[in-house]
Amino acid sequence: MKRLRLDALRDPVAHLAFLETYEVAAARPDAFWQERAAQGSGVRQFIAEAPGGEWAGSVTVLLEEAGSEDWAGYAVERRQGHVVGVFVRPEHRGNGLIQELLDAGLAWAWEQGAERVRLFVHADNPRAQGAYLRAGFKPTGLVVSFSKNEDERELEFALDR
């Protein structure tokens, strides 16, 4: 998990896609990664394994409960999944793997009773936006400030059950 995350943070658009930097993640102790791998009941990480055993990509889905507040301070109106940490290694892109990972995440969210699944994508990341549109996600119109830079924007995309 640590290796895949560090590789994701080296991606040319990592500054648009992830909230932490490579330097911060690389400095984290092994205990952090072990705790992250253990996960709780409201989160599930999906991994795609290549034939040689290398992890080719990953998607994580967090459950957000109705009546709670999300990371941006907005009220969560219904039980929903929130897709984060999407990454597919460059050599595995363009072959439908992202769709398979998202489908696995969606299936799990629906099993958990989610009414919709959402994600946020940087306004300047058309590659990711295209992948989410092809997967059936649609822009909701909600635009929030990018947490690393208030002058930049993230767009909410969602898929209703």
Side-chain angles (χ1 to χ4, degrees), residues 73-92:
Y74 291 95
V76 175
E77 297 177 4
R78 53 190 164 163
R79 186 177 179 103
Q80 62 190 10
H82 186 154
V83 175
V84 299
V86 178
F87 177 68
V88 173
R89 293 183 186 282
E91 63 271 23
H92 297 285

Side-chain angles (χ1 to χ4, degrees), residues 71-72 74 120 142-147 152-156:
W71 63 274
Y74 291 95
F120 287 87
L142 178 61
V143 179
V144 299
S145 293
F146 186 44
S147 62
E152 297 177 25
R153 301 286 174 246
E154 286 193 298
L155 314 173
E156 181 188 56

Side-chain angles (χ1 to χ4, degrees), residues 59-78:
V59 166
T60 299
V61 181
L62 313 169
L63 285 180
E64 297 176 325
E65 297 297 337
S68 66
E69 191 174 278
D70 72 9
W71 63 274
Y74 291 95
V76 175
E77 297 177 4
R78 53 190 164 163

